[in-house]
Amino acid sequence: MDSEFFQVVLNYINVIFFTFTVVLFSMFTLMGYLSTRNSIHYRNKNSFGDLSKVMASPLAPSITIIAPAYNEGLTIVENIRSLLSLRYVNYEVMVVNDGSKDDTLQKMIEAYDLVKVPREIDPEWKSKPIRGIYRSKHRSFSKLTVVDKENGGKSDALNTGMALSSNQYVGCIDVDCLLLPDALLHVVKSFYQRSEKRVIAVGGVIRVANSCVIQGGRLEEIRLPKNWLARFQLLEYTRSFILGRMAWGRIDSLLIISGAFGFFDREIANAVGGYDTNTVGEDMEIVFRMRRYMHDRKMPYTVEYIPDSLCWTEVPEDLKILVNQRDRWARGNLETLKTHRDMFFNSKYGRLGLISYPYWFFYEWMAPLLEFFGLFTIIIFYYLGILNFDFFLAITAAVYMYSIMFSFYAILWDVYSYNEYKKTKDILILMFCAIIEPITFHPIVVWAAVRGNYKKLFKIKSGWGSQVRKGFAKAT
């Protein structure tokens, strides 16, 4: 009787895992198709037109780039120099010093000859208190504004920038990100190329800058990262940005814009209350609220996505820092899904409720947990002598081979479309990473996700965690 019961349970589990695997294979295949169509459409649409005309026009829409800074004294001067060198007329760089404990503020004051300027602050100010606002005495740095405030976290710093800005659009970036000179031109074009819908947000690809040659705030030479952890993240970013987000953009269902490179319609962003300071997944959560705001008012809108390589950032090369980062991402994902759980299979929100939210729930949140606990299930079944080796080996081999195939496609499509890494050796190294990633890097990501969910579910207090970087100054 017991053996029959176990056999029935095992059969049900086999069916569940098989169904889940088939659904994932189907979704990722469709994702590859949609991203390819969208990439081709984007290239054809943007193969003509002179962006420099937008840059030169005095009627160009105004943009404020908000860059929160916390203990960035090592590289802050070079980072600001990079932001001030963008090819655009009507923009402002607003660096928000979020209570740094090092010499970040002092270095900015000395390098750019800043002086405190008087400015009235709303008495009902919701963010942490502002200690001072600084502008440069030199006309060459007229685009720079520095806000010094008490520490309140990245979300609070971004909200401060949005509240102080008077421009039409705001760009929320990491201060240590490197934007290419034409980045704002592409962003403005994305905001204005739609006539029937209001573009409320624009996101883009994040490229890995580790080991690249960067001088004077400019990207001089693109190189493959020397660190293996960085290489795995490069592969992961290629899949996520070139295939994943391009696919969601194709069906206008993108639910996340990277915090390292995100631009918003300031009016809509302020209307929803800005960033949520009670979550560590603020970049995803604000897109949820902005989309819901437009949906509830039945206003035609869209979120645009730029696949061009406009933003380069440094990824963690230390295992502990990487795990802390993915731990935080998992907590932010769960917080956002919980906050907006009424969207789950809610036809009121169209594709967002019926496709996007379920995908994030089943794949981004549930899949790592199923992988982790599935391992223990296999061990228990093996111990009980009821493990179906043939089925286990077949489905494991299928998942492994499909993951390699999908990664290969991402690499080759990136080479065909953008060709950032031109050496054959670099492409072969990335393919080797794709082969060993499922048994080396992926388990680390799964463990970090499980740890993040555990902390959140059992209310273990944990913030952003240490995000120590080497800095672009040493990447040269």
Side-chain angles (χ1 to χ4, degrees), residues 325-354:
Q325 180 196 63
R326 300 313 171 89
D327 175 316
R328 173 171 56 83
W329 288 4
R331 284 182 282 123
N333 187 26
L334 180 55
E335 288 169 351
T336 301
L337 290 175
K338 182 180 178 181
T339 300
H340 301 279
R341 58 187 177 275
D342 60 315
M343 291 179 64
F344 193 37
F345 284 121
N346 188 341
S347 58
K348 172 185 174 181
Y349 296 99
R351 283 169 292 193
L352 297 178
L354 298 176

PDB file of all heavy atoms in Angstrom, residues 325-354:
ATOM      1  N   GLN A 325      23.813  41.231  -3.411  1.00  0.00           N
ATOM      2  CA  GLN A 325      23.053  41.918  -4.456  1.00  0.00           C
ATOM      3  C   GLN A 325      21.843  41.091  -4.890  1.00  0.00           C
ATOM      4  O   GLN A 325      20.714  41.596  -4.961  1.00  0.00           O
ATOM      5  CB  GLN A 325      23.952  42.186  -5.666  1.00  0.00           C
ATOM      6  CG  GLN A 325      23.265  42.897  -6.809  1.00  0.00           C
ATOM      7  CD  GLN A 325      24.060  42.805  -8.109  1.00  0.00           C
ATOM      8  OE1 GLN A 325      24.279  41.722  -8.643  1.00  0.00           O
ATOM      9  NE2 GLN A 325      24.507  43.944  -8.610  1.00  0.00           N
ATOM     10  N   ARG A 326      22.053  39.813  -5.166  1.00  0.00           N
ATOM     11  CA  ARG A 326      20.949  38.960  -5.625  1.00  0.00           C
ATOM     12  C   ARG A 326      19.956  38.680  -4.500  1.00  0.00           C
ATOM     13  O   ARG A 326      18.758  38.508  -4.759  1.00  0.00           O
ATOM     14  CB  ARG A 326      21.505  37.656  -6.191  1.00  0.00           C
ATOM     15  CG  ARG A 326      22.450  37.875  -7.373  1.00  0.00           C
ATOM     16  CD  ARG A 326      21.841  38.848  -8.383  1.00  0.00           C
ATOM     17  NE  ARG A 326      22.762  39.255  -9.407  1.00  0.00           N
ATOM     18  CZ  ARG A 326      22.947  38.616 -10.545  1.00  0.00           C
ATOM     19  NH1 ARG A 326      22.258  37.514 -10.799  1.00  0.00           N
ATOM     20  NH2 ARG A 326      23.808  39.073 -11.434  1.00  0.00           N
ATOM     21  N   ASP A 327      20.448  38.632  -3.276  1.00  0.00           N
ATOM     22  CA  ASP A 327      19.580  38.533  -2.103  1.00  0.00           C
ATOM     23  C   ASP A 327      18.623  39.720  -2.083  1.00  0.00           C
ATOM     24  O   ASP A 327      17.404  39.572  -1.902  1.00  0.00           O
ATOM     25  CB  ASP A 327      20.476  38.510  -0.856  1.00  0.00           C
ATOM     26  CG  ASP A 327      19.704  38.531   0.454  1.00  0.00           C
ATOM     27  OD1 ASP A 327      18.754  39.309   0.581  1.00  0.00           O
ATOM     28  OD2 ASP A 327      20.085  37.786   1.370  1.00  0.00           O
ATOM     29  N   ARG A 328      19.165  40.920  -2.298  1.00  0.00           N
ATOM     30  CA  ARG A 328      18.351  42.138  -2.306  1.00  0.00           C
ATOM     31  C   ARG A 328      17.359  42.135  -3.461  1.00  0.00           C
ATOM     32  O   ARG A 328      16.200  42.530  -3.301  1.00  0.00           O
ATOM     33  CB  ARG A 328      19.264  43.360  -2.376  1.00  0.00           C
ATOM     34  CG  ARG A 328      18.537  44.674  -2.550  1.00  0.00           C
ATOM     35  CD  ARG A 328      19.475  45.855  -2.395  1.00  0.00           C
ATOM     36  NE  ARG A 328      20.603  45.783  -3.316  1.00  0.00           N
ATOM     37  CZ  ARG A 328      20.571  46.180  -4.582  1.00  0.00           C
ATOM     38  NH1 ARG A 328      19.444  46.665  -5.080  1.00  0.00           N
ATOM     39  NH2 ARG A 328      21.633  46.116  -5.353  1.00  0.00           N
ATOM     40  N   TRP A 329      17.800  41.701  -4.639  1.00  0.00           N
ATOM     41  CA  TRP A 329      16.892  41.639  -5.784  1.00  0.00           C
ATOM     42  C   TRP A 329      15.704  40.720  -5.494  1.00  0.00           C
ATOM     43  O   TRP A 329      14.565  41.034  -5.860  1.00  0.00           O
ATOM     44  CB  TRP A 329      17.639  41.138  -7.018  1.00  0.00           C
ATOM     45  CG  TRP A 329      18.606  42.126  -7.597  1.00  0.00           C
ATOM     46  CD1 TRP A 329      18.926  43.354  -7.101  1.00  0.00           C
ATOM     47  CD2 TRP A 329      19.383  41.958  -8.785  1.00  0.00           C
ATOM     48  NE1 TRP A 329      19.861  43.966  -7.898  1.00  0.00           N
ATOM     49  CE2 TRP A 329      20.171  43.135  -8.939  1.00  0.00           C
ATOM     50  CE3 TRP A 329      19.526  40.949  -9.716  1.00  0.00           C
ATOM     51  CZ2 TRP A 329      21.065  43.319  -9.993  1.00  0.00           C
ATOM     52  CZ3 TRP A 329      20.408  41.126 -10.773  1.00  0.00           C
ATOM     53  CH2 TRP A 329      21.166  42.299 -10.911  1.00  0.00           C
ATOM     54  N   ALA A 330      15.977  39.595  -4.849  1.00  0.00           N
ATOM     55  CA  ALA A 330      14.905  38.639  -4.530  1.00  0.00           C
ATOM     56  C   ALA A 330      13.916  39.242  -3.544  1.00  0.00           C
ATOM     57  O   ALA A 330      12.684  39.086  -3.690  1.00  0.00           O
ATOM     58  CB  ALA A 330      15.496  37.350  -3.964  1.00  0.00           C
ATOM     59  N   ARG A 331      14.430  39.954  -2.540  1.00  0.00           N
ATOM     60  CA  ARG A 331      13.544  40.594  -1.571  1.00  0.00           C
ATOM     61  C   ARG A 331      12.702  41.685  -2.234  1.00  0.00           C
ATOM     62  O   ARG A 331      11.502  41.818  -1.968  1.00  0.00           O
ATOM     63  CB  ARG A 331      14.364  41.191  -0.421  1.00  0.00           C
ATOM     64  CG  ARG A 331      14.869  40.143   0.568  1.00  0.00           C
ATOM     65  CD  ARG A 331      15.638  40.762   1.717  1.00  0.00           C
ATOM     66  NE  ARG A 331      16.995  41.126   1.337  1.00  0.00           N
ATOM     67  CZ  ARG A 331      17.494  42.343   1.435  1.00  0.00           C
ATOM     68  NH1 ARG A 331      16.745  43.333   1.885  1.00  0.00           N
ATOM     69  NH2 ARG A 331      18.748  42.595   1.085  1.00  0.00           N
ATOM     70  N   GLY A 332      13.339  42.463  -3.104  1.00  0.00           N
ATOM     71  CA  GLY A 332      12.601  43.502  -3.803  1.00  0.00           C
ATOM     72  C   GLY A 332      11.532  42.943  -4.712  1.00  0.00           C
ATOM     73  O   GLY A 332      10.418  43.490  -4.811  1.00  0.00           O
ATOM     74  N   ASN A 333      11.839  41.829  -5.358  1.00  0.00           N
ATOM     75  CA  ASN A 333      10.876  41.163  -6.239  1.00  0.00           C
ATOM     76  C   ASN A 333       9.657  40.702  -5.451  1.00  0.00           C
ATOM     77  O   ASN A 333       8.508  40.951  -5.851  1.00  0.00           O
ATOM     78  CB  ASN A 333      11.564  39.969  -6.912  1.00  0.00           C
ATOM     79  CG  ASN A 333      10.690  39.325  -7.965  1.00  0.00           C
ATOM     80  OD1 ASN A 333       9.829  39.965  -8.548  1.00  0.00           O
ATOM     81  ND2 ASN A 333      10.907  38.040  -8.204  1.00  0.00           N
ATOM     82  N   LEU A 334       9.903  40.061  -4.312  1.00  0.00           N
ATOM     83  CA  LEU A 334       8.804  39.560  -3.492  1.00  0.00           C
ATOM     84  C   LEU A 334       7.973  40.710  -2.926  1.00  0.00           C
ATOM     85  O   LEU A 334       6.734  40.638  -2.892  1.00  0.00           O
ATOM     86  CB  LEU A 334       9.349  38.694  -2.355  1.00  0.00           C
ATOM     87  CG  LEU A 334       8.320  38.078  -1.404  1.00  0.00           C
ATOM     88  CD1 LEU A 334       7.293  37.265  -2.170  1.00  0.00           C
ATOM     89  CD2 LEU A 334       9.014  37.210  -0.351  1.00  0.00           C
ATOM     90  N   GLU A 335       8.636  41.782  -2.485  1.00  0.00           N
ATOM     91  CA  GLU A 335       7.913  42.935  -1.948  1.00  0.00           C
ATOM     92  C   GLU A 335       6.981  43.539  -2.993  1.00  0.00           C
ATOM     93  O   GLU A 335       5.820  43.866  -2.705  1.00  0.00           O
ATOM     94  CB  GLU A 335       8.915  43.990  -1.468  1.00  0.00           C
ATOM     95  CG  GLU A 335       9.652  43.622  -0.189  1.00  0.00           C
ATOM     96  CD  GLU A 335      10.819  44.551   0.096  1.00  0.00           C
ATOM     97  OE1 GLU A 335      11.151  45.371  -0.786  1.00  0.00           O
ATOM     98  OE2 GLU A 335      11.393  44.458   1.195  1.00  0.00           O
ATOM     99  N   THR A 336       7.472  43.681  -4.218  1.00  0.00           N
ATOM    100  CA  THR A 336       6.663  44.276  -5.283  1.00  0.00           C
ATOM    101  C   THR A 336       5.497  43.373  -5.662  1.00  0.00           C
ATOM    102  O   THR A 336       4.363  43.844  -5.842  1.00  0.00           O
ATOM    103  CB  THR A 336       7.540  44.557  -6.515  1.00  0.00           C
ATOM    104  OG1 THR A 336       8.603  45.432  -6.150  1.00  0.00           O
ATOM    105  CG2 THR A 336       6.721  45.203  -7.627  1.00  0.00           C
ATOM    106  N   LEU A 337       5.762  42.081  -5.802  1.00  0.00           N
ATOM    107  CA  LEU A 337       4.688  41.144  -6.147  1.00  0.00           C
ATOM    108  C   LEU A 337       3.614  41.117  -5.062  1.00  0.00           C
ATOM    109  O   LEU A 337       2.415  41.035  -5.366  1.00  0.00           O
ATOM    110  CB  LEU A 337       5.275  39.739  -6.346  1.00  0.00           C
ATOM    111  CG  LEU A 337       6.149  39.542  -7.590  1.00  0.00           C
ATOM    112  CD1 LEU A 337       6.760  38.144  -7.584  1.00  0.00           C
ATOM    113  CD2 LEU A 337       5.339  39.745  -8.869  1.00  0.00           C
ATOM    114  N   LYS A 338       4.039  41.204  -3.818  1.00  0.00           N
ATOM    115  CA  LYS A 338       3.071  41.210  -2.714  1.00  0.00           C
ATOM    116  C   LYS A 338       2.242  42.480  -2.713  1.00  0.00           C
ATOM    117  O   LYS A 338       1.016  42.447  -2.528  1.00  0.00           O
ATOM    118  CB  LYS A 338       3.810  41.058  -1.382  1.00  0.00           C
ATOM    119  CG  LYS A 338       2.887  41.009  -0.173  1.00  0.00           C
ATOM    120  CD  LYS A 338       3.681  40.868   1.111  1.00  0.00           C
ATOM    121  CE  LYS A 338       2.740  40.862   2.326  1.00  0.00           C
ATOM    122  NZ  LYS A 338       3.521  40.758   3.598  1.00  0.00           N
ATOM    123  N   THR A 339       2.893  43.617  -2.940  1.00  0.00           N
ATOM    124  CA  THR A 339       2.190  44.902  -2.934  1.00  0.00           C
ATOM    125  C   THR A 339       1.129  44.964  -4.026  1.00  0.00           C
ATOM    126  O   THR A 339       0.037  45.501  -3.820  1.00  0.00           O
ATOM    127  CB  THR A 339       3.193  46.057  -3.127  1.00  0.00           C
ATOM    128  OG1 THR A 339       4.152  46.027  -2.061  1.00  0.00           O
ATOM    129  CG2 THR A 339       2.486  47.392  -3.134  1.00  0.00           C
ATOM    130  N   HIS A 340       1.449  44.402  -5.196  1.00  0.00           N
ATOM    131  CA  HIS A 340       0.539  44.494  -6.348  1.00  0.00           C
ATOM    132  C   HIS A 340      -0.108  43.140  -6.665  1.00  0.00           C
ATOM    133  O   HIS A 340      -0.382  42.852  -7.832  1.00  0.00           O
ATOM    134  CB  HIS A 340       1.307  45.016  -7.559  1.00  0.00           C
ATOM    135  CG  HIS A 340       1.911  46.368  -7.332  1.00  0.00           C
ATOM    136  ND1 HIS A 340       1.196  47.542  -7.453  1.00  0.00           N
ATOM    137  CD2 HIS A 340       3.169  46.737  -6.966  1.00  0.00           C
ATOM    138  CE1 HIS A 340       1.979  48.579  -7.193  1.00  0.00           C
ATOM    139  NE2 HIS A 340       3.184  48.122  -6.894  1.00  0.00           N
ATOM    140  N   ARG A 341      -0.353  42.355  -5.634  1.00  0.00           N
ATOM    141  CA  ARG A 341      -0.875  40.995  -5.833  1.00  0.00           C
ATOM    142  C   ARG A 341      -2.274  40.971  -6.449  1.00  0.00           C
ATOM    143  O   ARG A 341      -2.700  39.965  -7.021  1.00  0.00           O
ATOM    144  CB  ARG A 341      -0.872  40.222  -4.514  1.00  0.00           C
ATOM    145  CG  ARG A 341      -1.665  40.865  -3.402  1.00  0.00           C
ATOM    146  CD  ARG A 341      -1.450  40.115  -2.074  1.00  0.00           C
ATOM    147  NE  ARG A 341      -2.145  40.731  -0.951  1.00  0.00           N
ATOM    148  CZ  ARG A 341      -1.647  41.741  -0.233  1.00  0.00           C
ATOM    149  NH1 ARG A 341      -0.474  42.248  -0.548  1.00  0.00           N
ATOM    150  NH2 ARG A 341      -2.327  42.243   0.775  1.00  0.00           N
ATOM    151  N   ASP A 342      -3.003  42.085  -6.350  1.00  0.00           N
ATOM    152  CA  ASP A 342      -4.337  42.112  -6.946  1.00  0.00           C
ATOM    153  C   ASP A 342      -4.295  42.119  -8.470  1.00  0.00           C
ATOM    154  O   ASP A 342      -5.333  41.965  -9.130  1.00  0.00           O
ATOM    155  CB  ASP A 342      -5.120  43.327  -6.441  1.00  0.00           C
ATOM    156  CG  ASP A 342      -4.434  44.641  -6.775  1.00  0.00           C
ATOM    157  OD1 ASP A 342      -3.218  44.738  -6.577  1.00  0.00           O
ATOM    158  OD2 ASP A 342      -5.127  45.576  -7.238  1.00  0.00           O
ATOM    159  N   MET A 343      -3.106  42.281  -9.063  1.00  0.00           N
ATOM    160  CA  MET A 343      -2.966  42.226 -10.516  1.00  0.00           C
ATOM    161  C   MET A 343      -2.904  40.788 -11.033  1.00  0.00           C
ATOM    162  O   MET A 343      -3.052  40.554 -12.229  1.00  0.00           O
ATOM    163  CB  MET A 343      -1.690  42.955 -10.959  1.00  0.00           C
ATOM    164  CG  MET A 343      -1.714  44.460 -10.775  1.00  0.00           C
ATOM    165  SD  MET A 343      -0.147  45.230 -11.287  1.00  0.00           S
ATOM    166  CE  MET A 343      -0.153  44.854 -13.054  1.00  0.00           C
ATOM    167  N   PHE A 344      -2.677  39.826 -10.137  1.00  0.00           N
ATOM    168  CA  PHE A 344      -2.444  38.434 -10.518  1.00  0.00           C
ATOM    169  C   PHE A 344      -3.643  37.866 -11.272  1.00  0.00           C
ATOM    170  O   PHE A 344      -4.731  37.733 -10.721  1.00  0.00           O
ATOM    171  CB  PHE A 344      -2.159  37.614  -9.257  1.00  0.00           C
ATOM    172  CG  PHE A 344      -1.604  36.242  -9.536  1.00  0.00           C
ATOM    173  CD1 PHE A 344      -0.720  36.016 -10.568  1.00  0.00           C
ATOM    174  CD2 PHE A 344      -1.966  35.168  -8.734  1.00  0.00           C
ATOM    175  CE1 PHE A 344      -0.203  34.766 -10.805  1.00  0.00           C
ATOM    176  CE2 PHE A 344      -1.447  33.908  -8.957  1.00  0.00           C
ATOM    177  CZ  PHE A 344      -0.565  33.702  -9.999  1.00  0.00           C
ATOM    178  N   PHE A 345      -3.439  37.559 -12.560  1.00  0.00           N
ATOM    179  CA  PHE A 345      -4.496  37.041 -13.436  1.00  0.00           C
ATOM    180  C   PHE A 345      -5.738  37.934 -13.421  1.00  0.00           C
ATOM    181  O   PHE A 345      -6.874  37.446 -13.484  1.00  0.00           O
ATOM    182  CB  PHE A 345      -4.867  35.604 -13.057  1.00  0.00           C
ATOM    183  CG  PHE A 345      -3.859  34.591 -13.523  1.00  0.00           C
ATOM    184  CD1 PHE A 345      -3.216  33.769 -12.605  1.00  0.00           C
ATOM    185  CD2 PHE A 345      -3.537  34.461 -14.865  1.00  0.00           C
ATOM    186  CE1 PHE A 345      -2.271  32.841 -13.038  1.00  0.00           C
ATOM    187  CE2 PHE A 345      -2.607  33.541 -15.292  1.00  0.00           C
ATOM    188  CZ  PHE A 345      -1.972  32.725 -14.377  1.00  0.00           C
ATOM    189  N   ASN A 346      -5.515  39.235 -13.333  1.00  0.00           N
ATOM    190  CA  ASN A 346      -6.606  40.202 -13.339  1.00  0.00           C
ATOM    191  C   ASN A 346      -6.731  40.768 -14.753  1.00  0.00           C
ATOM    192  O   ASN A 346      -5.868  41.503 -15.225  1.00  0.00           O
ATOM    193  CB  ASN A 346      -6.320  41.318 -12.329  1.00  0.00           C
ATOM    194  CG  ASN A 346      -7.500  42.259 -12.145  1.00  0.00           C
ATOM    195  OD1 ASN A 346      -8.398  42.336 -12.981  1.00  0.00           O
ATOM    196  ND2 ASN A 346      -7.503  42.985 -11.035  1.00  0.00           N
ATOM    197  N   SER A 347      -7.817  40.428 -15.424  1.00  0.00           N
ATOM    198  CA  SER A 347      -8.002  40.840 -16.815  1.00  0.00           C
ATOM    199  C   SER A 347      -8.151  42.357 -16.959  1.00  0.00           C
ATOM    200  O   SER A 347      -7.997  42.896 -18.056  1.00  0.00           O
ATOM    201  CB  SER A 347      -9.238  40.159 -17.407  1.00  0.00           C
ATOM    202  OG  SER A 347     -10.398  40.475 -16.651  1.00  0.00           O
ATOM    203  N   LYS A 348      -8.428  43.037 -15.864  1.00  0.00           N
ATOM    204  CA  LYS A 348      -8.544  44.500 -15.888  1.00  0.00           C
ATOM    205  C   LYS A 348      -7.263  45.143 -16.403  1.00  0.00           C
ATOM    206  O   LYS A 348      -7.297  46.188 -17.050  1.00  0.00           O
ATOM    207  CB  LYS A 348      -8.863  45.008 -14.482  1.00  0.00           C
ATOM    208  CG  LYS A 348      -8.822  46.517 -14.336  1.00  0.00           C
ATOM    209  CD  LYS A 348      -9.017  46.934 -12.880  1.00  0.00           C
ATOM    210  CE  LYS A 348      -8.832  48.447 -12.713  1.00  0.00           C
ATOM    211  NZ  LYS A 348      -8.986  48.873 -11.297  1.00  0.00           N
ATOM    212  N   TYR A 349      -6.107  44.491 -16.111  1.00  0.00           N
ATOM    213  CA  TYR A 349      -4.813  45.040 -16.508  1.00  0.00           C
ATOM    214  C   TYR A 349      -4.272  44.408 -17.784  1.00  0.00           C
ATOM    215  O   TYR A 349      -3.091  44.539 -18.087  1.00  0.00           O
ATOM    216  CB  TYR A 349      -3.811  44.893 -15.358  1.00  0.00           C
ATOM    217  CG  TYR A 349      -4.199  45.702 -14.145  1.00  0.00           C
ATOM    218  CD1 TYR A 349      -4.838  45.098 -13.062  1.00  0.00           C
ATOM    219  CD2 TYR A 349      -3.974  47.071 -14.100  1.00  0.00           C
ATOM    220  CE1 TYR A 349      -5.227  45.847 -11.953  1.00  0.00           C
ATOM    221  CE2 TYR A 349      -4.349  47.822 -13.003  1.00  0.00           C
ATOM    222  CZ  TYR A 349      -4.976  47.207 -11.930  1.00  0.00           C
ATOM    223  OH  TYR A 349      -5.359  47.953 -10.843  1.00  0.00           O
ATOM    224  N   GLY A 350      -5.127  43.719 -18.509  1.00  0.00           N
ATOM    225  CA  GLY A 350      -4.742  43.174 -19.808  1.00  0.00           C
ATOM    226  C   GLY A 350      -3.554  42.245 -19.726  1.00  0.00           C
ATOM    227  O   GLY A 350      -3.481  41.359 -18.864  1.00  0.00           O
ATOM    228  N   ARG A 351      -2.587  42.461 -20.635  1.00  0.00           N
ATOM    229  CA  ARG A 351      -1.415  41.596 -20.689  1.00  0.00           C
ATOM    230  C   ARG A 351      -0.561  41.678 -19.427  1.00  0.00           C
ATOM    231  O   ARG A 351       0.121  40.717 -19.066  1.00  0.00           O
ATOM    232  CB  ARG A 351      -0.576  41.954 -21.910  1.00  0.00           C
ATOM    233  CG  ARG A 351      -1.143  41.433 -23.219  1.00  0.00           C
ATOM    234  CD  ARG A 351      -0.444  42.029 -24.416  1.00  0.00           C
ATOM    235  NE  ARG A 351      -0.726  43.461 -24.533  1.00  0.00           N
ATOM    236  CZ  ARG A 351      -0.441  44.171 -25.620  1.00  0.00           C
ATOM    237  NH1 ARG A 351       0.123  43.597 -26.663  1.00  0.00           N
ATOM    238  NH2 ARG A 351      -0.723  45.461 -25.676  1.00  0.00           N
ATOM    239  N   LEU A 352      -0.608  42.831 -18.752  1.00  0.00           N
ATOM    240  CA  LEU A 352       0.166  42.963 -17.521  1.00  0.00           C
ATOM    241  C   LEU A 352      -0.331  41.994 -16.458  1.00  0.00           C
ATOM    242  O   LEU A 352       0.463  41.359 -15.758  1.00  0.00           O
ATOM    243  CB  LEU A 352       0.077  44.401 -16.988  1.00  0.00           C
ATOM    244  CG  LEU A 352       0.647  45.504 -17.882  1.00  0.00           C
ATOM    245  CD1 LEU A 352       0.434  46.866 -17.233  1.00  0.00           C
ATOM    246  CD2 LEU A 352       2.123  45.269 -18.138  1.00  0.00           C
ATOM    247  N   GLY A 353      -1.654  41.895 -16.327  1.00  0.00           N
ATOM    248  CA  GLY A 353      -2.225  41.017 -15.312  1.00  0.00           C
ATOM    249  C   GLY A 353      -2.277  39.559 -15.717  1.00  0.00           C
ATOM    250  O   GLY A 353      -2.193  38.666 -14.864  1.00  0.00           O
ATOM    251  N   LEU A 354      -2.409  39.309 -17.026  1.00  0.00           N
ATOM    252  CA  LEU A 354      -2.585  37.930 -17.491  1.00  0.00           C
ATOM    253  C   LEU A 354      -1.282  37.263 -17.939  1.00  0.00           C
ATOM    254  O   LEU A 354      -1.205  36.031 -17.983  1.00  0.00           O
ATOM    255  CB  LEU A 354      -3.594  37.902 -18.649  1.00  0.00           C
ATOM    256  CG  LEU A 354      -5.007  38.390 -18.314  1.00  0.00           C
ATOM    257  CD1 LEU A 354      -5.867  38.406 -19.558  1.00  0.00           C
ATOM    258  CD2 LEU A 354      -5.629  37.526 -17.220  1.00  0.00           C
TER     259      LEU A 354
END
